[in-house]
Amino acid sequence: MYILDSSKYFSKQNCVEITGMPASGKTTFVRQLMDENSNTINVNGNLPKNNLWRQFKKITYAFLLFLRFPSLFIKDTKIIISSKQNSYKNLYSVLTNWYLIIYQYKKYSSGKAIYIWDQGLFQGIWSIYYSSSSNFNYKHLLEDKTLPQTVYLTDADDLELIFRSNKRKDNIRLDYNNKEEIINGREAMEKTINVMQQIGYQKN
């Protein structure tokens, strides 16, 4: 578990993220936290299960984010493009995921409930690193965002991740049958944890 201790970056105590490799148990951990506290809301649980409708939702949120916060939208887009994604498909994926996450934070971070993301800001950072071929200014990307006060990390060994991914019915970006992709995913996670530590997250 990591807790933010920073005077520069703004966080909210009622915002929690679970981050980790695909199939590492993020959704299961969210369910566990929700069982422990009835005042907890799974933000991504409100998204459509159907992929077509989910993509429509992402595009809608991207459009609304641009209308409400055009300067932020343009800044974030430029930074993510500067990461030099290895395909247009991955560029589309990381951009629409990022817009979705940012809009969700704008929409859900107020109130007394505890909001949990299993696909939040730092999973978005992992996603950018996973398919990038260049470094990007993550500090500039995060400096005007509401950050989660607490971030939990989930993990499992490679054999367990391969087993879980083969059982899943939905598609994930990382192909666990490809050793190079596993290595790339691990490296992206190390970079993501380094980002968290650089901006003030302390391991608890």
Side-chain angles (χ1 to χ4, degrees):
M1 178 174 70
Y2 287 80
I3 297 177
L4 183 62
D5 182 14
S6 172
S7 58
K8 180 178 180 179
Y9 294 91
F10 177 73
S11 67
K12 286 193 173 183
Q13 291 185 347
N14 66 331
C15 294
V16 176
E17 284 192 14
I18 319 297
T19 192
M21 293 279 282
S24 62
K26 296 185 294 295
T27 303
T28 301
F29 194 64
V30 168
R31 293 194 192 104
Q32 179 183 332
L33 292 177
M34 293 182 70
D35 288 341
E36 294 172 357
N37 190 333
S38 59
N39 196 35
T40 301
I41 295 174
N42 176 10
V43 175
N44 291 319
N46 296 322
L47 292 174
K49 302 300 181 184
N50 179 276
N51 184 57
L52 184 61
W53 281 109
R54 183 178 286 246
Q55 293 303 318
F56 176 76
K57 194 82 168 181
K58 288 181 179 181
I59 293 170
T60 301
Y61 279 178
F63 179 69
L64 293 174
L65 185 69
F66 175 74
L67 288 180
R68 293 184 60 188
F69 308 98
S71 296
L72 180 149
F73 183 96
I74 293 169
K75 173 187 72 72
D76 286 8
T77 301
K78 288 181 177 179
I79 293 172
I80 292 174
I81 289 174
S82 76
S83 71
K84 297 181 180 178
Q85 294 295 302
N86 57 23
S87 71
Y88 288 116
K89 179 181 178 181
N90 283 328
L91 178 61
Y92 167 81
S93 178
V94 297
L95 280 172
T96 54
N97 282 338
W98 187 258
Y99 300 146
L100 170 67
I101 294 162
I102 301 308
Y103 190 82
Q104 285 177 327
Y105 261 95
K106 299 289 186 183
K107 184 177 180 180
Y108 291 109
S109 60
S110 61
K112 296 181 178 180
I114 298 173
Y115 297 95
I116 301 181
W117 280 261
D118 62 356
Q119 297 288 334
L121 287 166
F122 292 105
Q123 200 66 30
I125 295 291
W126 175 89
S127 185
I128 296 170
Y129 273 126
Y130 174 69
S131 50
S132 70
S133 57
S134 178
N135 289 322
F136 60 96
N137 192 340
Y138 61 82
K139 290 183 178 180
H140 194 32
L141 189 63
L142 294 171
E143 66 186 4
D144 54 358
K145 306 298 188 297
T146 298
L147 302 181
Q149 179 70 37
T150 305
V151 179
Y152 292 93
L153 297 181
T154 58
D155 198 8
D157 62 48
D158 291 349
L159 289 177
E160 178 64 21
L161 292 175
I162 293 169
F163 174 75
R164 292 179 186 177
S165 67
N166 288 333
K167 288 181 63 178
R168 288 176 61 156
K169 295 180 180 179
D170 56 326
N171 294 322
I172 57 178
R173 289 186 66 202
L174 193 158
D175 179 6
Y176 278 112
N177 295 310
N178 185 324
K179 187 175 181 180
E180 288 186 5
E181 291 200 22
I182 297 175
I183 293 171
N184 192 28
R186 292 287 187 192
E187 291 176 348
M189 185 51 61
E190 289 178 7
K191 291 177 181 178
T192 301
I193 294 171
N194 181 63
V195 167
M196 291 168 53
Q197 294 171 334
Q198 288 296 318
I199 65 175
Y201 280 90
Q202 304 292 324
K203 193 171 184 179
N204 192 332

